[in-house]
Amino acid sequence: MPARRNPRPDWVRSRQIALGRRIADLRRQAELSQDQLAERMGVERRTVQRYENAVTDPRYADLLLIAHALRVHVTDLLS
């Protein structure tokens, strides 16, 4: 993948971290392990780890799968 021409602003990184924490918090509230969430989504556990640790951003379709697996609305992930 080509490198970005301009670095992302700091506020973007802070929101990525907040999204990862929110996914982890909602997963724990649902009493699911990372393995269980990954299984429900049809992805590998390390994908869930990367989202929760803000290493990678979930695509929109993955946000939908996460929300469905956690039985929340997709906007709950972003609030």
Side-chain angles (χ1 to χ4, degrees):
M1 179 172 277
R4 296 186 62 83
R5 290 183 185 191
N6 299 313
R8 290 182 172 152
D10 291 338
W11 64 266
V12 171
R13 181 68 183 142
S14 66
R15 290 196 180 158
Q16 288 173 314
I17 293 168
L19 173 61
R21 288 182 182 153
R22 184 78 174 135
I23 292 169
D25 290 344
L26 289 169
R27 176 182 56 76
R28 288 186 199 104
Q29 287 176 20
E31 298 180 354
L32 294 175
S33 67
Q34 288 179 336
D35 284 318
Q36 291 168 318
L37 177 57
E39 186 176 317
R40 288 185 181 191
M41 292 176 60
V43 299
E44 294 183 11
R45 178 183 49 83
R46 70 180 161 200
T47 300
V48 173
Q49 284 178 320
R50 288 175 180 155
Y51 294 158
E52 290 184 1
N53 293 320
V55 174
T56 59
D57 294 325
R59 294 176 180 234
Y60 182 70
D62 290 331
L63 289 173
L64 294 173
L65 290 169
I66 292 167
H68 181 76
L70 297 175
R71 296 185 172 105
V72 298
H73 194 275
V74 69
T75 57
D76 293 334
L77 297 173
L78 304 173
S79 59

